[in-house]
Amino acid sequence: MQLVTFAAIPYYMTFQDLNLSSELISQLEKNQFSKPTPIQQQAITPILEGKDVMGIAKTGSGKTLAYVLPLLDRLKNQSSENREIQALVMVPTRELAVQVSDAIILFSKALKNPLITMAVYGGVSINPQMMKMNTVDILLATPGRLLELMEKNAVKVASTKILVLDEADKMLSAGFKEEMDQIFNRLPSKKQTLLFSATLSNKVSEIKRQLLKDPVVIDVQVPEEDLSLIKQIGYRVTPEKKGILLRHLIEEHDMQQVLIFCSSTYQVEHVNDKLNTNGITSKAVHGKKAQGTRQSHLNDFKDADSDVRCLVTTDLLSRGIDIEFLPFVINYELPRSPKDYIHRIGRTGRAEKPGTVFTLVTPEDAHHMRVIQKKTKMKVWMEDLEEWNS
Ligand code: ADP
Ligand code: MG
């Protein structure tokens, strides 16, 4: 096993140094990607060499392209007339499946023979997905829908050469275990496996033993100054004053784009309604909404020209979602797991752009907030706002 650390990175490395094909390099240039991020610098070469890779790097540090670019290069001459799945990329949510497939399509279309990419996920009709399946080279999938398709014999995975688990710790967590075990059983044992996440421990030997063969483990350490990209402020507040404090923060900081996290769908709806009745345009996204609505609210929120200022959501959108230049995140309620805290705040401070996170902390949350800080090794500056608490 090789362990590569941050110190080994030559900062002047370019995409040309990474032996990617010229079509991909010109597509990178066209899209203003000027130099590879640390995880890209270190993961692309071993993936091109066909090695299994476990890549750990902070939120917003370009993990998607770290696997997408070499994956396309490895598969670019493989596509056949009667297509079977060449690569399977698994992600935890439908919105992330769409986002990653968009990234793959952007680069695949630059190839002489573009690889056909499709995202499959639940909440939408399965028939159109089944009909297109025999034209697909690269399949993006959430576990539930992939299993459904497998059970209907609609997807041919016997030739899968590359398996990627994005948000790997989530994909391998208890919530997905049963489905993922069934999926692993149906995949060929000889394949290249790539795991990526910001919160994967390089010590998870069980995972390494079961899924990876002689992996290259890349753990990009976060230098101190990177953490300061995300300013974290906590406010001590009583539960009944949360709504008014939320609106105060939005107006005080003139927030035009803020992602607000709650812990239940009920609370998401409540906070969203309150914002709208107070004249602050807001949309709600959670697991009980129709898929079309979920995606269109997210798209509206991402669109800098739309009048939607707030998106209120659950941890559904805490993983992987990339909103360009998102300046603000608010934790209206604390997440249960410290890992979720890392992913929530990681929706801002992406691609070297700064961001601010406000967390509302009730007296009951105080202990949990300290646990989160200890576990994440992050310091949240706590403020008292007497006028809101009195
Ligand atoms: P992660 O998966 O590590 O959280 P993403 O892959 O979603 O991060 O990338 C975060 C953002 O950084 C995206 O908007 C992506 O387009 C951008 N990005 C990726 N690679 C580069 C690069 N080499 N240079 C500049 N921006 C990049
Ligand atoms: Mg990601």
Side-chain angles (χ1 to χ4, degrees):
M1 187 188 86
Q2 288 166 267
L3 186 67
V4 190
T5 56
F6 191 78
I9 303 164
Y11 68 91
Y12 48 81
M13 194 180 251
T14 65
F15 280 112
Q16 278 86 348
D17 296 327
L18 293 168
N19 287 324
L20 290 164
S21 59
S22 56
E23 302 112 290
L24 294 179
I25 289 179
S26 63
Q27 188 67 333
L28 282 160
E29 282 163 3
K30 264 193 220 148
N31 288 277
Q32 269 97 45
F33 293 104
S34 53
K35 90 186 199 2
T37 65
I39 186 70
Q40 292 163 1
Q41 293 180 21
Q42 296 184 57
I44 289 175
T45 305
I47 298 175
L48 283 173
E49 288 167 355
K51 294 188 174 132
D52 281 5
V53 167
M54 180 189 248
I56 308 162
K58 67 170 184 148
T59 51
S61 65
K63 293 187 289 297
T64 318
L65 292 186
Y67 66 80
V68 164
L69 298 171
L71 179 148
L72 288 171
D73 244 341
R74 272 178 70 66
L75 297 179
K76 68 176 194 265
N77 298 320
Q78 305 264 353
S79 114
S80 61
E81 279 293 291
N82 192 7
R83 286 181 157 110
E84 298 200 357
I85 305 301
Q86 305 289 316
L88 174 63
V89 182
M90 306 277 319
V91 293
T93 64
R94 301 162 186 180
E95 287 76 7
L96 192 53
V98 170
Q99 180 182 301
V100 176
S101 70
D102 286 348
I104 298 180
I105 290 164
L106 175 68
F107 285 92
S108 177
K109 72 181 184 200
L111 300 174
K112 276 192 204 80
N113 301 309
L115 292 147
I116 309 296
T117 305
M118 179 165 76
V120 294
Y121 44 81
V124 295
S125 167
I126 196 168
N127 289 337
Q129 298 177 350
M130 283 171 62
M131 311 236 298
K132 287 197 201 121
M133 200 56 79
N134 64 356
T135 66
V136 173
D137 301 301
I138 303 174
L139 187 65
L140 270 289
T142 54
R145 178 51 59 94
L146 179 62
L147 261 184
E148 266 181 88
L149 288 161
M150 284 175 157
E151 269 148 26
K152 290 180 190 294
N153 283 326
V155 48
K156 298 193 189 87
V157 289
S159 315
T160 305
K161 294 177 182 64
I162 304 178
L163 168 69
V164 183
L165 304 188
D166 199 341
E167 304 294 339
D169 56 320
K170 182 78 181 176
M171 302 315 295
L172 297 167
S173 68
F176 282 126
K177 185 167 187 336
E178 216 171 289
E179 288 170 325
M180 290 306 292
D181 281 348
Q182 291 183 54
I183 291 167
F184 291 143
N185 281 337
R186 294 173 194 237
L187 295 175
S189 57
K190 189 173 171 293
K191 62 183 175 307
Q192 183 180 17
T193 302
L194 311 172
L195 309 184
F196 280 87
S197 179
T199 49
L200 197 59
S201 162
N202 67 34
K203 297 191 190 72
V204 278
S205 50
E206 185 66 5
I207 292 176
K208 279 194 239 163
R209 199 172 52 75
Q210 286 181 356
L211 288 177
L212 302 173
K213 278 184 222 84
D214 196 18
V216 176
V217 179
I218 302 159
D219 190 349
V220 180
Q221 305 294 319
V222 180
E224 281 297 308
E225 66 267 24
D226 272 6
L227 287 174
S228 64
L229 275 175
I230 306 177
K231 195 162 139 198
Q232 300 179 57
I233 300 167
Y235 284 104
R236 294 191 183 91
V237 63
T238 55
E240 57 277 13
K241 292 285 167 75
K242 274 184 159 187
I244 192 168
L245 173 58
L246 175 68
R247 297 193 292 279
H248 168 78
L249 288 172
I250 292 169
E251 297 301 7
E252 171 93 358
H253 296 271
D254 191 25
M255 296 181 189
Q256 297 305 319
Q257 205 185 23
V258 52
L259 186 63
I260 301 168
F261 285 103
C262 299
S263 44
S264 65
T265 45
Y266 169 82
Q267 195 64 261
V268 167
E269 287 292 343
H270 174 74
V271 170
N272 181 56
D273 287 349
K274 265 281 158 73
L275 287 171
N276 283 309
T277 50
N278 280 279
I280 299 172
T281 311
S282 173
K283 299 278 180 199
V285 166
H286 53 67
K288 295 203 175 96
K289 291 238 163 186
Q291 190 50 37
T293 314
R294 270 163 63 166
Q295 191 68 53
S296 76
H297 285 352
L298 176 60
N299 293 347
D300 286 349
F301 178 67
K302 279 183 165 185
D303 178 0
D305 296 329
S306 87
D307 62 351
V308 180
R309 294 171 68 184
C310 307
L311 190 70
V312 192
T313 187
T314 60
D315 281 299
L316 177 74
L317 293 189
S318 69
R319 287 265 182 174
I321 297 300
D322 187 53
I323 302 161
E324 213 181 359
F325 309 135
L326 176 70
F328 295 105
V329 168
I330 295 179
N331 290 307
Y332 188 81
E333 293 174 298
L334 287 184
R336 226 172 337 135
S337 120
K339 264 192 190 178
D340 287 341
Y341 182 85
I342 291 180
H343 290 282
R344 283 183 181 189
I345 74 168
R347 295 320 96 211
T348 184
R350 301 175 73 74
E352 308 297 312
K353 301 291 183 306
T356 306
V357 177
F358 296 101
T359 300
L360 309 196
V361 184
T362 65
E364 216 177 278
D365 296 330
H367 173 72
H368 190 47
M369 189 69 219
R370 282 193 294 275
V371 172
I372 287 176
Q373 292 182 75
K374 200 167 157 217
K375 288 262 168 74
T376 59
K377 300 194 183 76
M378 285 173 175
K379 181 84 197 92
V380 177
W381 180 261
M382 292 300 298
E383 299 245 0
D384 270 310
L385 275 189
E386 293 306 331
E387 72 256 47
W388 303 107
N389 283 322
S390 58

